Amino acid sequence: WNLQYISSFDDYQGDDNIVGVDVRKPDNLCAGPWKFIQAPAHEIPLADSSFDLVFTMGTLIHIPPEALDQVYREFLRVSSKYILLAEYFAPGAPQPRSWRGYEGALWVGDFGGGLLNQAAISGIRLKVIDYGHIFKSLGHYDDLAWWVFEKVE
């Protein structure tokens, strides 16, 4: 879904360096100018600093809390410059929520804070460029918090 969303931007130029990574290939993945790699987020089969921007929206909420640090490390590893996260937010450590009748499939938490913590542990400096909220009540996709981080040398 994120791949299709990005390519719908009015100023999208058809960059062929957009890569989607997911643990399973979506059934409804449309053809587009992107590449798709089937892999878990904690084992991205790409070289260090492969991308200027690592972007995730509505993904980290489905990662079990005990696996988040490894996912954060992978984002930090494959990003050469920026990381953008957009996820459900709750203060503190991830907390479970029921999702479509399932338990253990969705968590809300401070994912931006989690990434900052893992960067510090890993010896990587991140600068918060911007952050904010997307409000469903204003006609957007859902109620999300978002963060843009820059890796600083």
Side-chain angles (χ1 to χ4, degrees):
W1 186 87
N2 286 334
L3 290 173
Q4 293 160 338
Y5 180 72
I6 290 169
S7 67
S8 73
F9 294 161
D10 289 339
D11 60 351
Y12 177 70
Q13 300 298 311
D15 185 352
D16 63 357
N17 196 26
I18 294 177
V19 177
V21 177
D22 202 316
V23 71
R24 65 175 186 82
K25 186 173 184 178
D27 295 332
N28 62 348
L29 182 64
C30 298
W34 47 72
K35 299 172 191 138
F36 177 81
I37 297 172
Q38 189 168 352
H42 64 276
E43 293 178 1
I44 300 172
L46 298 167
D48 294 356
S49 301
S50 290
F51 302 103
D52 294 334
L53 170 69
V54 171
F55 164 75
T56 181
M57 180 172 166
T59 301
L60 297 175
I61 60 173
H62 297 294
I63 305 291
E66 61 274 10
L68 279 172
D69 285 344
Q70 181 59 36
V71 173
Y72 294 144
R73 284 191 293 272
E74 282 295 273
F75 289 177
L76 292 162
R77 184 183 68 78
V78 299
S79 169
S80 65
K81 186 104 176 157
Y82 300 104
I83 300 173
L84 188 157
L85 308 177
E87 305 286 341
Y88 295 143
F89 178 82
Q95 307 159 26
R97 295 286 192 268
S98 178
W99 181 71
R100 299 183 182 175
Y102 294 97
E103 299 301 325
L106 186 142
W107 292 264
V108 297
D110 182 359
F111 297 102
L115 180 66
L116 283 170
N117 289 339
Q118 188 55 55
I121 291 167
S122 300
I124 297 170
R125 290 185 49 224
L126 282 185
K127 177 181 175 184
V128 178
I129 299 296
D130 206 353
Y131 61 93
H133 293 275
I134 300 169
F135 298 100
K136 187 175 184 177
S137 63
L138 297 178
H140 297 288
Y141 167 73
D142 217 330
D143 292 314
L144 303 173
W146 59 269
W147 305 262
V148 179
F149 302 96
E150 181 180 10
K151 290 174 79 173
V152 180
E153 296 295 323

